[in-house]
């Protein structure tokens, strides 16, 4: 059962920060908040939150401090003053950034004596406090376990590993999936619209395709992890011929072909390297190296 008497602090009251603080209040946690623009705390204060006059006061008020501000630079600026005592505190940083920034900030916080977890919120603010809100945490398992009963008020919280950069990497990996699925759906929608098929008609078909492809992932993951790519379903050179058909069809009906051309360019490089007879996941080698023109 969740403890509801654990005091928490939320630093940063944008839409997400307000949602985080609101979820703690709803779960019964004594909640202290701080924000540069104090007016953003008015609604939370009306619901029972305490507005701290300074960041230092806010940190001292709670056994657990969540940070959700603009970027990692803002985190360092807020906590960089010498009068903010972090020794023995637990910081959970849900600010968006990259894995290098997460690791650097973890080192900085630990040098100040803080117990530090980095995190990523895989949800929109209205979902916070429900099971649909997935929130990832990375850092020492013991820190996460100690505060999981409190963090559970926010949604489905998960520890992804001891490396502080992992939550950020999972975040961008999820974004890659999201945008790839959406862009592929838009490509198909654009093609079908040329024949008078509207997006609503295509969407259920696209959902079935996406779900079917998702079912392939565990088996494809085994191939990647083993480094062996037998063509059990289709060889890459066969897929490349289908890509060419997609490009030709797009160009014929006047639809942008940049996306399928990117698919085929990567496949062609892999085939040229001798992988045409292997299965599609062999393209992991292309994704694992810098692309043409990258530094």
């Amino acid at each position: 059962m969740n403890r509801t008497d654990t005091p928490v602090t939320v630093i940063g009251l944008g839409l997400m920060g307000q949602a985080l603080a609101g979820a703690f209040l709803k779960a019964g946690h004594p909640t202290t908040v701080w924000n540069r623009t104090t007016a953003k705390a008015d609604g939370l204060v009306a619901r029972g939150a305490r507005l701290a006059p300074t960041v230092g006061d806010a940190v001292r008020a709670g056994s657990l401090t969540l940070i959700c501000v603009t970027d990692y630079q803002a985190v360092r600026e807020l906590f960089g003053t010498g009068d903010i005592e972090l020794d023995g505190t637990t910081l959970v940083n849900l600010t968006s950034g990259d894995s290098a920034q997460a690791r650097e900030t973890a080192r900085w916080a630990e040098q100040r004596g803080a117990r530090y977890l980095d995190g990523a919120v895989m949800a929109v603010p209205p979902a916070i406090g429900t099971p649909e809100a997935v929130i990832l945490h990375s850092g020492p398992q013991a820190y996460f376990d100690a505060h999981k009963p409190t963090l559970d008020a926010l949604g489905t919280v998960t520890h992804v590993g001891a490396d502080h950069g992992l939550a950020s990497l999972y975040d961008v990996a999820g974004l890659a999936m999201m945008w790839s699925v959406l862009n592929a759906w838009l490509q198909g929608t654009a093609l079908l619209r040329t024949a008078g098929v509207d997006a609503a008609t295509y969407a259920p078909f696209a959902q079935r395709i996406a779900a079917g492809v998702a079912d392939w992932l565990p088996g494809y993951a085994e191939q990647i992890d083993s480094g062996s790519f037998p063509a059990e379903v289709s060889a890459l050179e066969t897929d490349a011929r289908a890509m060419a058909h997609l490009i030709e069809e797009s160009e014929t009906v006047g639809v942008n072909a940049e996306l399928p051309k990117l698919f085929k360019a990567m496949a062609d490089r892999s085939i040229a390297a001798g992988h045409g007879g292997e299965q599609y996941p062999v393209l992991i080698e292309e994704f694992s190296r810098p692309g043409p023109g990258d530094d």
Side-chain angles (χ1 to χ4, degrees):
M1 181 177 295
N2 292 352
R3 288 280 302 275
T4 59
D5 58 351
T6 303
V8 298
T9 290
V10 177
I11 305 290
L13 298 177
L15 292 177
M16 185 59 74
Q18 291 181 44
L20 296 170
F24 283 130
L25 285 169
K26 185 176 181 180
H29 292 281
T31 304
T32 299
V33 297
W34 182 91
N35 193 69
R36 288 188 191 276
T37 305
T38 58
K40 290 187 176 182
D42 290 348
L44 294 166
V45 170
R47 295 167 57 188
R50 171 182 174 266
L51 175 62
T54 69
V55 173
D57 290 327
V59 172
R60 286 189 289 273
S63 60
L64 176 68
T65 296
L66 276 76
I67 310 163
C68 188
V69 293
T70 306
D71 52 33
Y72 280 76
Q73 181 178 345
V75 174
R76 299 284 286 272
E77 290 174 352
L78 287 175
F79 288 85
T81 59
D83 62 339
I84 299 177
E85 180 59 55
L86 296 181
D87 190 28
T89 64
T90 298
L91 302 179
V92 178
N93 188 11
L94 299 180
T95 300
S96 295
D98 61 39
S99 58
Q101 291 173 319
R103 295 181 184 114
E104 180 184 0
T105 304
R107 288 190 293 270
W108 170 84
E110 289 168 349
Q111 287 169 0
R112 298 278 300 274
R115 296 181 289 267
Y116 182 86
L117 292 169
D118 208 87
V121 181
M122 312 292 287
V124 294
I128 298 298
T130 74
E132 286 69 39
V134 175
I135 304 177
L136 308 179
H137 298 80
S138 53
Q141 179 81 50
Y143 298 170
F144 175 77
D145 290 344
H147 293 283
K148 184 178 184 298
T150 302
L151 295 169
D152 279 337
L154 303 179
T156 302
V157 297
T158 303
H159 184 258
V160 294
D163 176 359
H164 285 98
L166 281 173
S168 292
L169 285 172
Y170 269 91
D171 184 22
V172 293
L175 292 175
M177 285 291 299
M178 178 184 74
W179 287 324
S180 296
V181 171
L182 288 175
N183 285 338
W185 174 68
L186 291 170
Q187 180 81 33
T189 299
L191 284 164
L192 285 164
R193 287 178 70 191
T194 66
V197 179
D198 60 25
T201 299
Y202 174 50
F205 176 82
Q207 281 183 299
R208 289 193 294 272
I209 294 294
V213 172
D215 287 341
W216 303 347
L217 299 184
Y220 279 10
E222 290 180 6
Q223 290 194 345
I224 290 171
D225 291 342
S226 69
S228 177
F229 307 95
E232 298 168 347
V233 176
S234 176
L236 182 60
E237 57 192 7
T238 302
D239 291 321
R241 287 194 290 271
M243 293 172 189
H245 173 60
L246 173 57
I247 293 167
E248 292 164 4
E249 184 68 45
S250 297
E251 292 178 335
T252 297
V253 298
V255 166
N256 189 304
E258 290 176 273
L259 186 62
K261 284 180 178 178
L262 173 61
F263 299 160
K264 192 168 186 301
M266 297 185 77
D268 286 345
R269 288 198 297 270
S270 186
I271 292 169
H275 301 297
E278 296 176 273
Q279 195 155 268
Y280 199 84
V282 74
L283 282 177
I284 189 63
E285 303 300 333
E286 291 299 315
F287 281 95
S288 297
R289 62 171 62 96
D294 291 346
D295 292 335

